[in-house]
Amino acid sequence: MKEGKSMKILVTGAAGFIGYHTSILLLERGDTVIGLDNFNDYYDVSLKEARAARLDKYDNFSMVRIDLADRGAIEALFAQEKFDKVVNLAAQAGVRYSIENPHSYIDSNIVGFLHILEGCRHNNVKHLVYASSSSVYGANSAMPFSIHQNVDHPLALYGATKKANELMAHTYSNLYGLPTTGLRFFTVYGPFGRPDMALFMFTKNIIEGKPIDVFNYGKHRRDFTYVDDIVQGVVRTMDHTAEPNADWDAAHPDPGTSKVPYRIYNIGNQQPVELMDYIGAIESVLGKTAEKNLLPLQAGDVPDTWADTSDLANDVGYQPSTPVETGVRNFVEWYLEYYKHEVQAGA
């Protein structure tokens, strides 16, 4: 559990969706948070600035605007601040974008992650928690997805970079005894969410009376997970420093643990939802029916995701509690308030 004294924690991607909410939880409980973000224009920068402005109201928060790929700046930051723990949530996100812009994924997700590992190694960081993704499961079809399955068949470069992060973390856990924990996120949603995610795009188009694109003819199932549940899991995991698995057997290697201080967890809702039901929840809150463009499965996408979170529940007591109907309502209410001038103008 949480250590007796407050800690100094680096949260990368702090102006991003999950990073923002994680920072809030840490700040509220009294930790000192240094947020890092490069404020890139992958999506509307004003939304990142709005998150950052809310974080800046906390006396125990400060933001540094640098890029993970800037080796010198990262080295200097680690040397100056001497973080107790690091939560690395910065990454170039998006499966489809990785098909069009592969180089940005290598810069952020591979080169940037190496700089984080090196910073932790040289500055006695007690625990590195980092974002992986359900995308690592790729062509796996056994449901629910388990951390004890092999994940060697990614379907897009995004998933491959996240798998690479897990491999890189393991080597640092092995060579330098750095405790590392990777969290495979499953379709996170909620207030201040990313504009490139389905919930945001669906809500916007339904409000504006525009059709929504529904891929795989609406036959997707996704383990939609509300952001408050996610960040509780992130912080509990950060407080539960990875340890070696004494029962790990090299003859029958378990992919989710190791003989070194390394862990992988799924973090999801463990209740996959049909995409059409998800859209129905949005329609219900808005009181409007969506016009749907039914389209085939997109390149790099998987039909279904479903997280087996039993290991995370057993180790840190993770227990998501937000029904999709509640989470969607919370998001739509936030959206209507945050974009009220645009909504009113279009009414």
Side-chain angles (χ1 to χ4, degrees), residues 40-118:
N40 70 20
D41 60 0
Y42 170 64
Y43 61 80
D44 182 9
V45 176
S46 69
L47 187 58
K48 300 179 183 183
E49 294 288 359
R51 298 185 190 118
R54 286 170 169 251
L55 292 172
D56 282 336
K57 294 177 182 177
Y58 290 85
D59 292 337
N60 47 336
F61 178 82
S62 58
M63 179 73 80
V64 291
R65 296 178 178 238
I66 56 179
D67 196 301
L68 284 186
D70 185 339
R71 176 179 171 182
I74 297 296
E75 287 177 350
L77 179 68
F78 271 86
Q80 176 182 327
E81 297 292 350
K82 299 297 183 185
F83 303 108
D84 294 303
K85 297 187 177 181
V86 174
V87 182
N88 183 51
L89 300 173
Q92 181 58 63
V95 170
R96 291 156 204 149
Y97 191 74
S98 73
I99 296 171
E100 303 160 14
N101 300 275
H103 294 283
S104 63
Y105 287 76
I106 301 303
D107 292 341
S108 295
N109 301 7
I110 303 295
V111 175
F113 190 62
L114 175 63
H115 296 162
I116 290 292
L117 288 168
E118 281 286 283

Side-chain angles (χ1 to χ4, degrees), residues 15 37 39 45-46 58 65 75 97 103 114 127 136 142 145 186 210 220 223 236 242 281 285 294-295 305 325-326 335:
D37 209 288
F39 290 81
V45 176
S46 69
Y58 290 85
R65 296 178 178 238
E75 287 177 350
Y97 191 74
H103 294 283
L114 175 63
H127 191 197
V136 301
F145 292 148
F186 280 71
K210 298 175 181 177
H220 279 315
D223 204 330
R236 283 172 178 253
V285 176
L294 299 179
L295 300 167
T305 64
E325 294 79 10
T326 302
Y335 184 97

Side-chain angles (χ1 to χ4, degrees), residues 247-269:
D247 298 324
W248 196 84
D249 180 2
H252 303 90
D254 170 22
T257 66
S258 179
K259 64 180 181 180
V260 300
Y262 166 90
R263 284 290 188 277
I264 294 292
Y265 294 111
N266 288 332
I267 183 164
N269 201 40

